[in-house]
Each structure stands twice: as structure tokens, then as C-alpha cells.
């Protein structure tokens, strides 16, 4: 099943978001304009706008208001990707060259800042101060998480708790906040938007764990980068953490550095798989997904429930 | 307002900014950002006229400063930085300070100022790309963008608080300060984007062939002369503007005087 099929019931609104995104990144500067449109060309799953729209359906669904949140969150996500590519010195994203590769770091910095400013402009169409408090706290926490990720690079003695906190900030937080803000924009009562935050948080955790598993088990063609690249970059993800419970495997993992070659990495990946770490990681991802589905059950009836459940299950089963 | 009160308020804003942006790991790896006290003074002058509480005035000024600091730190991101970690953390520091500006204003529920400053950030990044590419049809367009980079936050802040009468004065002050800093960079043999632009527009035959440091002494002197003309014009404007506005605090007039005396016209 493809995401586009899952999105079928609200395609009109998503098309509107897509058109507005084009407008949002248009600029008087030809360079910013070209760079921003290069980003949009690469597409993306638009998972955050989808969660905003669906969560708003638990309240008063007014697309003219809700679209501002959906756009703001997608733009924040996009801006963070542009800056992440500078941080990671990445050449490619979603099969297309990155802005820092096509132009340079400086242009990527300016484009990212421009897009972030645009996102805040859209947000200010929302007059509820609560929405701004929620989003601004999330942005600060998200960046703090990225700083911690750099601090934790090649730190092989980190705990499961360190990892979970990192992926919360890296991925789960923005998805959780997408759900929460969609519901706030839909003017739902607090018990609804708080539950939707939890739903998004659990989904986000499951999503990132699956992403971290795929980094070890997918092919270079599927990933657009060599398998095990996260570990090579010093990011200790869940499969590696589980596998390090075995001293011999731990000793091998601890030798990994930026220059570790593909052959060595293949052997290490094989060792990680043999410890059962992939399966254990899948189990934890599944547990988060089950928690998300349980939260969904507690929510009042809405036409958003079915698509949210379908998307949750899609996330649990995705292969790349 | 008495000088002592200005100093106290400026210290309090500076302290708030430092407290908000402190992050142990970050400041272990990047240089502590410079908090421009002249800008704080300008913001205080504006806030003195605004009908807002002290807390709101402090948060508003601190958030405008955070925006400027975030923008400035992103200008330092380059492959020339000492290490990859320093470069990575410069990216994140800018994002962190931007997030703090939003958080600070969200906490005081000033959504309109969030919008004003977001709009300023947007324009500044457009100016930055124009300057970075050395784009523009003529030196005037280039210089207007160059000026816009350093002045738009204060300009839009003044407009937001209906204190536009200060705009020409503050803009000339900040422009002069920036021109002087670029002149220093050029004289010390460091990279100067302003002088790259001047070379493009005033020595077009040398634009793509000769790096600034390899220009003949005559050509280097010529570019300094061009920059000095901008400095002189800016000083003149600044003098006129400070005379035009009544009731400016002595502390600011002294700064205008100091800055204006910082550089004398070079001998031709």
C-alpha cells in the first residue's frame, strides 16, 4: 500500500497545501527561489501536514486556519533538512543533489533561514498563544537534541534512555506536535489534543526506530547511501545498542569510524543481525506502534480515525 | 532616561540573552557570540517610547538581539572553520538562537512581533544572497543590499513600535559601523565581501581575474578611496540625522561622536 493511496480521502486539502508550499518558498531572490524549489522538487512524504489535517478533524475543521499550521510544520521540517545537509556534508537527499552540493554551505544556510522565517510567518496567522508556546518549545528542544546528537557521536557507552531521548527530539517531537497543533487549531478540548500529542509521539518513536533498522538492513540503492552509514557517522542507533550487549560485537562496533570501509561495515552489520538486535528493535518499534493504536482507540469517533490507523500501520510495515 | 538607568537596563537585557543562549557544549566549541551593546542601546531608546511593561520591553529587545546574533552566526559557517564540529555547531547555534527568539516572544504572547522579526529575517536572507553572489546591476543596488543585512532588524523593530523617526539615524549608525569593520578587514588582508563587491563594480576588468590581495597598491588604494567616500557620506548623514532628532540621550550622542571619529578620510 502506498502513502498516496492512504491520503486519498483528503487529497484536495493536501493538494492545496502542496500549492501553498510552492508559494511559501517563492522569493524575490532568484537564488533563494531556485534553491527552495529544488527542495520541493524532492518531495517528501508530507507526513507532518497529514497529521495536522487529520488531528484537526477531531475538532472544528477549517482548512483556511489549519493550513497555516500544516505549512509551518512542513517548512520547519524542510528548513531543518537543509541545515542538516550542511551538518552532515550530504551530497544527496531523496535521490536529488542537496543545496549545499549544488551551490554551497552559505547558500544552504541562507535558504534554510529564509524557509524557517516563512514558516513562522504562516504560524503568526494563528492567534492562539498556546499554539506558539507549543511550537516554540518544540523547536528549541529539537535543536537541543541535534546538539546532543553531535555530543553523543562515537560515544559507545550511551544507554537506551539516551537513545530514546535523542530520537524523541529528532523525530517524534515534531510529529507529536503536528498532531497536537492540528487539534489545537481545530479548537479541540485539552484532553483531545494531549492524547493526539501522545499518539504522534508513539508513532514518531516507532517511525524512527524503523528508520534506524532500515539503515542496517536495506540496500544502498534503497537508502541512497551505503548501509550502516549512521553508525559510520558515529550515530549509535538501537540495533547497534542492542548488539553491543555482546562484548565481541561491541569491540568491533567500537572500532567504527568515519573511514570504515564498506567491506568491514558489511561484516559488522552481519554480526549485528546475528545477535538478534534487528528483531529486538522491531519489537520495540511495534510496542510503540501498539501504544499509538491504543491511544487512538481512546479518542472519540471521528472520520480521521481510520486514516490515522492506516497510516500508523503503514509506518509499522514500511520497508524503505 | 539617565545614563545609569540605560546602563542598568542594557545589563539586564545582556544578562537575559546570555542566560537564555548559554549551552555548555555549544560554547565549548564555538566562540561566544558578540552582543552588540550599540544595538541594545537603540532598542532601549525605541522601547522607552513604547507603551509596554518593563518585562515586555526586555523580552522584545532581547528577542531582536537573538535574531541578530542568530543571523550573524550563520554567516560564519564555512569550510574555513577550525573543525567540522565547530562548523556543525555554528549551524545549530544559529538555529538554537532563532528558536529562543520565538520562544521568548511566544511566552509573552507577542505574536505580531514574532511576525515582524520573521519578516525581517526573510528579507535579510534575500539581501545576503544578493551580496554573497555579488549580484545587482550597479553598485547602488549592491550597497543597498549590503546595508539592509545589518540594519533591517532594527529598522523593522522601530517600525513595529511606531518609532520610525529613529530609522534614518540608526541605519546610518549601523551602516557606518559595518563599513568601518569592512575597511579594517581589508586593511588587515582578511576577506571582505564589501571590497569584493567594490572590486566587481569599480574595477570590473579585475573582477574575475585578480584576488583582492593580489591587486596592485594603486588599485587597493583606489578601492579604499571608494569605501572612504561611502564612509564620509555616511558620517555626514549621521551628523545631520543626530542633529535633526531632538531628545536623544547623551549616551547615544557620545557613541555617534566616537564612531564618527574612528576613521579619517584617507589622503588621495
Amino acid at each position: 500500500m502506498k502513502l498516496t493511496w492512504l491520503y486519498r480521502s483528503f487529497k484536495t486539502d493536501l493538494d492545496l497545501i502542496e500549492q501553498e508550499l510552492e508559494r511559501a518558498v517563492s522569493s524575490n531572490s532568484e537564488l533563494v527561489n531556485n534553491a527552495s524549489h529544488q527542495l520541493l522538487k524532492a518531495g517528501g512524504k508530507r507526513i507532518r501536514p497529514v497529521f495536522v489535517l487529520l488531528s484537526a478533524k477531531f475538532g472544528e475543521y477549517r482548512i483556511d486556519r489549519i493550513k497555516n499550521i500544516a505549512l509551518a510544520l512542513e517548512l520547519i521540517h524542510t528548513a531543518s533538512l537543509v541545515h542538516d545537509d550542511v551538518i552532515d556534508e550530504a551530497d544527496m537527499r531523496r535521490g536529488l543533489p542537496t543545496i549545499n552540493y549544488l551551490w554551497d554551505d552559505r547558500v544552504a544556510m541562507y535558504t534554510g533561514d529564509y524557509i524557517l522565517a516563512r514558516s513562522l510567518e504562516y504560524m503568526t496567522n494563528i492567534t492562539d498563544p498556546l499554539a506558539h508556546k507549543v511550537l516554540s518549545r518544540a523547536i528549541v528542544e529539537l535543536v537541543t537534541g541535534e546538539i546532543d546528537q553531535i555530543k553523543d557521536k562515537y560515544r559507545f557507552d550511551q544507554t537506551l534512555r539516551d537513545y530514546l531521548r535523542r530520537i524523541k527530539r529528532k523525530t517524534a517531537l515534531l510529529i507529536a506536535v503536528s498532531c497536537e497543533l492540528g487539534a489545537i487549531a481545530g479548537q479541540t478540548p485539552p484532553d483531545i489534543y494531549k492524547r493526539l500529542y501522545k499518539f504522534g509521539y508513539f508513532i514518531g518513536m516507532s517511525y524512527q526506530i524503523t528508520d534506524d533498522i532500515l539503515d542496517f538492513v536495506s540496500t544502498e540503492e534503497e537508502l541512497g547511501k551505503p548501509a550502516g552509514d549512521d553508525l559510520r557517522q558515529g550515530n549509535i542507533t538501537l540495533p547497534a545498542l542492542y548488539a553491543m550487549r555482546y562484548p565481541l560485537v561491541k569491540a568491533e562496533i567500537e572500532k567504527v569510524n568515519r573511514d570504515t570501509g564498506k567491506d568491514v561495515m558489511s561484516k559488522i552489520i552481519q554480526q549485528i543481525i546475528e545477535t538478534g538486535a534487528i528483531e529486538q528493535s522491531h519489537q520495540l518499534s511495534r510496542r510503540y506502534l501498539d501504544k499509538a493504536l491504543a491511544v487512538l482507540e481512546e479518542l472519540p469517533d471521528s472520520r480521521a480515525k481510520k486514516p490515522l490507523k492506516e497510516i500508523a500501520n503503514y509506518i509499522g510495515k514500511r520497508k524503505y | 532616561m539617565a545614563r545609569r538607568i540605560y546602563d542598568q537596563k542594557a545589563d539586564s537585557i545582556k544578562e537575559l540573552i546570555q542566560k537564555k543562549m548559554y549551552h555548555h557544549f555549544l560554547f565549548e566549541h564555538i566562540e561566544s557570540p558578540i552582543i552588540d551593546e550599540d544595538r541594545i542601546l537603540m532598542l532601549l531608546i525605541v522601547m522607552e517610547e513604547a507603551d509596554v511593561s518593563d518585562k515586555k520591553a526586555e523580552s522584545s529587545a532581547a528577542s531582536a538581539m537573538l535574531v541578530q546574533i542568530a543571523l550573524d552566526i550563520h554567516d560564519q559557517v564555512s569550510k574555513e572553520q577550525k573543525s567540522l564540529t565547530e562548523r556543525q555547531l555554528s549551524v545549530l547555534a544559529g538555529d538554537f538562537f532563532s528558536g529562543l527568539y520565538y520562544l521568548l516572544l511566544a511566552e509573552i504572547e507577542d505574536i505580531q512581533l514574532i511576525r515582524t522579526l520573521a519578516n525581517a529575517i526573510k528579507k535579510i536572507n534575500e539581501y545576503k544572497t544578493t551580496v554573497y553572489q555579488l549580484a545587482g546591476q550597479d553598485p547602488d543596488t549592491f550597497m543597498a543590499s549590503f546595508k539592509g543585512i545589518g540594519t533591517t532588524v532594527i529598522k523593522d523593530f522601530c517600525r513595529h513600535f511606531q518609532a520610525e523617526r529613529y530609522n534614518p539615524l540608526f541605519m546610518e549608525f549601523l551602516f557606518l559601523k559595518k563599513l568601518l569593520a569592512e575597511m579594517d578587514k581589508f586593511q588587515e588582508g582578511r576577506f571582505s565581501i564589501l571590497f569584493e563587491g567594490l572590486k566587481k563594480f569599480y574595477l570590473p576588468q579585475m573582477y574575475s581575474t585578480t584576488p583582492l590581495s593580489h591587486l596592485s597598491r594603486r588599485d587597493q588604494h583606489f578601492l579604499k578611496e571608494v569605501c572612504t567616500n561611502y564612509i564620509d557620506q555616511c558620517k555626514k548623514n549621521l551628523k545631520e540625522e543626530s542633529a535633526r532628532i531632538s531628545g536623544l540621550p547623551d549616551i547615544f550622542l557620545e557613541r555617534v561622536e566616537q564612531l564618527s571619529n574612528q576613521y579619517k578620510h584617507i589622503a588621495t
Side-chain angles (χ1 to χ4, degrees), chain B residues 28-44:
Chain B
E28 248 178 38
H29 290 87
I30 62 164
E31 279 177 35
S32 291
I34 295 162
I35 301 173
D36 184 345
E37 291 180 7
D38 288 329
R39 282 180 189 270
I40 296 184
L41 181 57
M42 291 176 204
L43 295 168
L44 280 173

Side-chain angles (χ1 to χ4, degrees), chain A residues 107-133:
Chain A
V107 173
M109 292 315 300
Y110 298 159
T111 307
D113 283 346
Y114 178 86
I115 295 173
L116 181 67
R118 289 295 284 137
S119 80
L120 295 188
E121 277 190 328
Y122 276 99
M123 253 327 265
T124 53
N125 292 326
I126 300 293
T127 51
D128 183 352
L130 175 66
H132 294 279
K133 285 176 190 168

Side-chain angles (χ1 to χ4, degrees), chain A residues 27-29 31-32 83 86-87 89 104-107 109-110 113-114 117-118 120-121 123-127 129 132-133 135-137 139-140 143-144 146-147 150-151 258, chain B residues 23 25-26 71 74-79 84-85 87-89 91-92 95-96 98-103 106-107 109 111 114-115 118-119 121-122 125-126 128-129 132-133:
Chain A
S27 162
N28 295 324
S29 156
L31 182 56
V32 172
H83 286 178
V86 175
I87 290 169
E89 301 182 298
D104 58 22
D105 283 357
R106 204 51 80 79
V107 173
M109 292 315 300
Y110 298 159
D113 283 346
Y114 178 86
R118 289 295 284 137
L120 295 188
E121 277 190 328
M123 253 327 265
T124 53
N125 292 326
I126 300 293
T127 51
H132 294 279
K133 285 176 190 168
L135 185 58
S136 60
R137 282 176 200 145
I139 291 176
V140 171
V143 184
T144 313
E146 288 209 61
I147 296 169
I150 291 179
K151 195 169 133 192
R258 214 170 271 280
Chain B
H23 187 292
F25 181 70
L26 209 53
L71 287 163
H74 277 173
D75 269 332
Q76 290 165 23
V77 175
S78 80
K79 296 269 192 297
L84 175 63
T85 309
R87 187 160 80 238
Q88 291 170 327
L89 291 175
V91 175
L92 293 173
D95 292 346
F96 180 49
S98 285
L100 289 175
Y101 118 72
Y102 183 30
L103 179 61
E107 277 169 353
E109 303 185 358
I111 296 162
I114 294 170
R115 188 180 187 83
N119 190 263
I121 297 170
K122 192 180 78 178
N125 282 289
E126 289 180 332
K128 280 183 174 184
T129 50
Y132 182 61
Q133 284 183 292

Side-chain angles (χ1 to χ4, degrees), chain A residues 97-312:
Chain A
T98 56
I99 294 183
N100 47 303
Y101 178 78
L102 278 179
W103 288 275
D104 58 22
D105 283 357
R106 204 51 80 79
V107 173
M109 292 315 300
Y110 298 159
T111 307
D113 283 346
Y114 178 86
I115 295 173
L116 181 67
R118 289 295 284 137
S119 80
L120 295 188
E121 277 190 328
Y122 276 99
M123 253 327 265
T124 53
N125 292 326
I126 300 293
T127 51
D128 183 352
L130 175 66
H132 294 279
K133 285 176 190 168
V134 166
L135 185 58
S136 60
R137 282 176 200 145
I139 291 176
V140 171
E141 199 178 342
L142 194 138
V143 184
T144 313
E146 288 209 61
I147 296 169
D148 283 348
Q149 183 166 318
I150 291 179
K151 195 169 133 192
D152 284 347
K153 278 198 174 187
Y154 300 106
R155 189 167 72 79
F156 295 99
D157 61 347
Q158 56 190 278
T159 62
L160 179 63
R161 202 175 155 173
D162 293 331
Y163 166 79
L164 295 176
R165 192 180 58 171
R166 205 170 61 234
I167 66 167
K168 177 201 165 186
R169 288 162 156 182
K170 181 181 178 178
T171 305
L173 189 62
L174 211 51
I175 294 178
V177 162
S178 301
C179 295
E180 186 180 15
L181 288 176
I184 289 172
Q187 296 175 330
T188 64
D191 66 313
I192 304 289
Y193 66 69
K194 282 179 186 164
R195 274 187 201 163
L196 278 159
Y197 172 91
K198 270 192 181 176
F199 169 79
Y201 165 74
F202 291 138
I203 288 285
M205 295 297 278
S206 173
Y207 184 91
Q208 188 55 49
I209 292 171
T210 305
D211 226 39
D212 292 341
I213 295 168
L214 292 174
D215 187 66
F216 286 107
V217 300
S218 299
T219 61
E220 187 166 349
E221 200 187 353
E222 286 164 340
L223 290 167
K225 58 180 181 175
D229 201 50
D230 284 344
L231 185 56
R232 188 184 292 105
Q233 301 271 349
N235 296 321
I236 318 299
T237 58
L238 191 60
L241 266 183
Y242 279 148
M244 282 197 289
R245 288 174 181 169
Y246 295 83
L248 288 176
V249 182
K250 185 172 189 248
E252 291 304 310
I253 290 175
E254 281 177 349
K255 288 180 198 159
V256 171
N257 60 50
R258 214 170 271 280
D259 301 321
T260 302
K262 279 186 191 174
D263 290 348
V264 176
M265 191 52 83
S266 293
K267 282 181 192 155
I268 292 174
I269 291 173
Q270 194 49 42
Q271 285 179 301
I272 290 172
I273 292 170
E274 282 166 12
T275 63
I278 300 293
E279 196 38 50
Q280 273 182 291
S281 302
H282 272 304
Q283 281 168 16
L284 186 57
S285 174
R286 184 71 226 179
R287 281 213 293 278
Y288 276 114
L289 196 64
D290 289 341
K291 284 184 181 187
L293 293 169
V295 172
L296 200 57
E297 285 308 312
E298 293 166 9
L299 283 160
D301 282 339
S302 153
R303 57 205 159 102
K305 263 182 144 178
K306 193 176 166 222
L308 280 175
K309 198 172 173 181
E310 286 174 344
I311 293 167

